[in-house]
Amino acid sequence: GAGVSQSPSNKVTEKGKDVELRCDPISGHTALYWYRQSLGQGLEFLIYFQGNSAPDKSGLPSDRFSAERTGGSVSTLTIQRTQQEDSAVYLCASSLFSGRYSNQPQHFGDGTRLSIL
Amino acid sequence: KNEVEQSPQNLTAQEGEFITINCSYSVGISALHWLQQHPGGGIVSLFMLSSGKKKHGRLIATINIQEKHSSLHITASHPRDSAVYICAVAPNTGTASKLTFGTGTRLQVTL
């Protein structure tokens, strides 16, 4: 079956522009995660959606970053007024319901490589 | 100090060698994940464990909750095992799925 799909795979944009990154999770997965991997750095949690619950936005680095998940499926990560330090690979993952007492393996997309000039 | 520490950072092995990658963490966890990231960037979940030991093919993962330590072993290593191996922990408070990641161990297996 189809895995987690992210688009675009690569995005180059000028500093100050807004960008939208898209994630299509695996069908039936209620949990969706966004991560960031900067060059030479480890993975960093950004935001987590679980069903209709309020998202955990505690990893978003600034108010220029926002994300939404429409209809419990597709998610969009938006970065406004991009800065050079936003250059990174943005990874999306999805899983079956996952909570404090019910961990599930996460399935990762191939990521969007974002370059800010 | 990072909440999740991996060692070694880099590892070179010859084909056939037994490999061990270590992960230590400092927080209470509900689960620990081992992930594999290939040079192309794709990430695959290898194991998720909260106690004991799991085995899949040539890969074995163990965890000691009391010592806050996990190991990933690769038996009879092969060049196709060359990748970055990442340890991540799910905390036992707050949002359990909010993973904290180690910085990864880069493994190169040569012929």
Side-chain angles (χ1 to χ4, degrees), chain B residues 83-105:
Chain B
V84 176
Y85 292 84
I86 301 167
C87 170
V89 299
N92 59 7
T93 58
T95 303
S97 295
K98 180 181 171 181
L99 299 180
T100 300
F101 298 85
T103 52
T105 294

Side-chain angles (χ1 to χ4, degrees), chain A residues 45-67:
Chain A
F45 167 84
L46 296 178
I47 187 168
Y48 161 65
F49 295 91
Q50 173 58 65
N52 295 321
S53 302
D56 179 343
K57 305 179 182 180
S58 59
L60 294 178
S62 79
D63 58 9
R64 296 186 295 104
F65 287 71
S66 63

Side-chain angles (χ1 to χ4, degrees), chain A residues 34-38 42-47 59-61, chain B residues 99 101:
Chain A
W34 282 99
Y35 301 102
R36 176 169 75 172
Q37 188 173 37
S38 302
L43 282 152
E44 174 190 13
F45 167 84
L46 296 178
I47 187 168
L60 294 178
Chain B
L99 299 180
F101 298 85

Side-chain angles (χ1 to χ4, degrees), chain B residues 5 49 54 87:
Chain B
E5 299 271 359
L49 65 167
K54 287 191 175 181
C87 170

Side-chain angles (χ1 to χ4, degrees), chain B residues 13-18 74-79 109-110:
Chain B
Q14 285 199 312
E15 184 179 14
E17 285 187 12
F18 180 86
I74 305 175
T75 61
S77 59
H78 189 276
V109 181
T110 59

Side-chain angles (χ1 to χ4, degrees), chain A residues 4 34 41 48 57-58 92 95 112 115:
Chain A
V4 176
W34 282 99
Q41 305 286 320
Y48 161 65
K57 305 179 182 180
S58 59
C92 175
S95 76
T112 294
S115 300

